[in-house]
Amino acid sequence: MLNALEVFTTVVVGLMVGVEFAVAFVMNRIFSALPEDSDQLARSHGGRMLGALMPVWYFTSLGLAAVWAIAGWHRPGAGLVVIAAALLVLSVIMSVLLLVPINNQGKTWTPENRPADWKEQMNRWDRYHYARVAVIIAAFTLLVTALV
């Protein structure tokens, strides 16, 4: 049963990493290349859509890692899982304190009501997001290593 939990947790976290990596290095670059107001409209829509999904995914990933750490405390690699869980906690803290406030504003913007500095705010969100992606990649790497 613990083996199934380990694999399931690793897959869930890995898929989350893939989505966040794609947002950072694929989707936002595509959005930035769109003409006129399309970049801002795409980011607003993405903020609404992923803003509803990702909190559940982050907390589920964290919960699974915590259960793995507790259930597998006696097994080799438990320390790696604990560190991975701590990194997932850090990613949630980063999200709540840094990214969600910007996202909550950005998802309501239209070309008519967006602030003059909307691009600067999106660039700040991107920088925070790159850091968060690095944190969750590190957590995922530790989980994969703990499986071995």
Side-chain angles (χ1 to χ4, degrees):
M1 186 67 151
L2 183 57
N3 287 340
L5 172 66
E6 293 169 348
V7 170
F8 184 70
T9 301
T10 304
V11 169
V12 169
V13 173
L15 290 170
M16 181 178 73
V17 167
V19 168
E20 294 291 33
F21 186 90
V23 167
F25 297 104
V26 178
M27 299 308 300
N28 284 346
R29 291 179 185 207
I30 291 170
F31 295 163
S32 294
L34 294 173
E36 300 173 13
D37 295 325
S38 299
D39 177 17
Q40 184 265 303
L41 292 169
R43 284 177 172 264
S44 292
H45 181 67
R48 287 187 299 275
M49 188 179 82
L50 291 173
L53 172 65
M54 296 315 289
V56 174
W57 210 336
Y58 272 82
F59 283 108
T60 299
S61 296
L62 173 56
L64 288 168
V67 171
W68 176 1
I70 293 165
W73 187 250
H74 62 284
R75 295 180 67 172
L80 297 174
V81 178
V82 169
I83 296 168
L87 288 172
L88 292 172
V89 168
L90 175 61
S91 74
V92 169
I93 292 169
M94 291 173 71
S95 297
V96 170
L97 295 180
L98 302 173
L99 290 119
V100 169
I102 298 169
N103 190 61
N104 283 345
Q105 292 176 2
K107 67 185 183 182
T108 66
W109 295 339
T110 66
E112 293 78 31
N113 73 359
R114 67 184 180 215
D117 69 340
W118 75 271
K119 284 190 179 191
E120 289 81 15
Q121 291 188 50
M122 290 297 98
N123 288 335
R124 186 168 17 115
W125 187 94
D126 289 344
R127 287 190 306 275
Y128 294 150
H129 185 64
Y130 294 144
R132 179 176 62 181
V133 169
V135 169
I136 64 174
I137 287 172
F140 175 66
T141 302
L142 290 169
L143 294 175
V144 169
T145 304
L147 283 174
V148 180

